Amino acid sequence: MRAYRAGPVALAMLAALSAGCGGGAVPAAQEAALPASPAPTASPAGTARPLAGKTVVLDPGHNGGNASHPEEINRQVDIITGRKACNTTGTETNDGFPEHAFTWDVAGQMKPILERMGAKVVLTRPNDRGVGPCVTERAAIGNEARADAVLSIHGDGAVPDGHGFHVIMPGLLRGHNDDVVKPSARLGRAVRDAYREGTGIPYANYTAKNGLETRTDLGGLNLSKRPAVFIECGNMRNERDAAKMSDAAFRKRMAAALADGIRRFLS
């Protein structure tokens, strides 16, 4: 399968993708108890379109064709602080539910929620069958779209006894991202708070502090000229987290919570 390449023309195509944003093939849902708290509302009472005029870029991590194209995804790219692989295959649950399918489904469910709030939504990949794009290209899509917020969606592959979620924010790289570090930190806190309240998932107990971490080794953050954060929605190698992430109903709850976090930041 040919690798997907993002650029000004591809960006216009991605922005137009509305009908093609459903989830990829997903295994049978596992039962998982939902938190007692109600799911967050898409829009605050009395505000029909709080994100009118805003552009949101959603970056569902990895891609379904990455594993079969190692020569493409292992190609080294410049991320300012070093060189890293263009992309990776991502992780999966012990039952075989892959991270790329999880992130694609969550992003696909977020898109119409944000659009109902008035936002223009751009995805960094058009489906869950392609290869890449590289982390450099994903950052470029957000930059070219002049995104008001960029959210990269992931699932972690940590030690089995580690559970919970965390949000990663860009560290300062003077001369490169000076203007976006502070707004990215505000975006990170808004996403963290909304996700915790909306899903009931606790902060990660194996990394970060209070659900927040700053890093300078991620190309998608280093190269972004727009407010951007990553979220590791849970640890796919942890039995409790994996049960939630594999459950279709719970993924809807995750998507609603993440959309609410973006709304809080932008409105």
Side-chain angles (χ1 to χ4, degrees):
M1 187 175 296
R2 188 171 62 183
Y4 169 74
R5 296 297 180 193
V9 175
L11 175 60
M13 175 193 72
L14 285 168
L17 282 170
S18 178
C21 295
V26 178
Q30 300 179 20
E31 292 297 325
L34 294 177
S37 59
T41 57
S43 300
T47 306
R49 293 170 65 83
L51 301 187
K54 303 295 186 181
T55 297
V56 177
V57 169
L58 299 179
D59 175 32
H62 314 288
N63 209 330
N66 282 5
S68 58
H69 290 78
E71 71 288 349
E72 286 283 339
I73 65 168
N74 289 331
R75 178 169 59 86
Q76 298 292 293
V77 296
D78 185 0
I79 65 163
I80 298 176
T81 56
R83 297 184 67 81
K84 293 185 73 171
C86 159
N87 208 259
T88 65
T89 60
T91 188
E92 64 181 14
T93 68
N94 293 333
D95 291 335
F97 180 39
E99 181 184 1
H100 64 79
F102 166 78
T103 66
W104 177 247
D105 186 60
V106 172
Q109 294 194 60
M110 287 182 68
K111 186 175 188 289
I113 297 174
L114 292 166
E115 288 175 335
R116 286 193 294 271
M117 287 191 263
K120 173 185 176 183
V121 180
V122 177
L123 300 179
T124 59
R125 54 184 173 105
N127 55 52
D128 195 35
R129 302 180 300 275
V131 181
C134 293
V135 294
T136 50
E137 295 169 298
R138 291 173 187 248
I141 290 171
N143 294 341
E144 291 179 23
R146 298 191 59 80
D148 296 288
V150 179
L151 178 65
S152 189
I153 305 162
H154 289 265
D156 214 354
V159 293
D161 60 347
H163 72 96
F165 81 96
H166 65 288
V167 176
I168 305 170
M169 304 172 297
L172 177 63
L173 299 173
R174 294 197 181 279
H176 295 282
N177 65 355
D178 307 64
D179 295 335
V180 298
V181 169
K182 287 185 178 179
S184 294
R186 289 194 292 105
L187 173 61
R189 290 191 295 270
V191 168
R192 178 200 62 178
D193 293 348
Y195 191 76
R196 177 72 179 90
E197 293 167 18
T199 67
I201 297 175
Y203 302 148
N205 66 355
Y206 61 94
T207 190
K209 182 179 181 181
N210 295 324
L212 296 174
E213 184 178 19
T214 299
R215 289 171 59 175
T216 58
D217 64 329
L218 298 174
L221 295 184
N222 288 1
L223 297 167
S224 181
K225 303 297 184 183
R226 315 302 298 176
V229 298
F230 277 38
I231 182 168
E232 298 283 6
C233 295
N235 178 15
M236 300 191 84
R237 292 298 186 176
N238 175 267
E239 184 177 353
R240 285 176 290 174
D241 289 1
K244 293 180 172 67
M245 299 170 82
S246 300
D247 180 61
F250 205 95
R251 287 197 300 276
K252 290 183 179 180
R253 196 176 188 92
M254 290 173 165
L258 291 173
D260 189 52
I262 291 174
R263 177 194 63 76
R264 294 183 189 192
F265 171 68
L266 292 178
S267 59

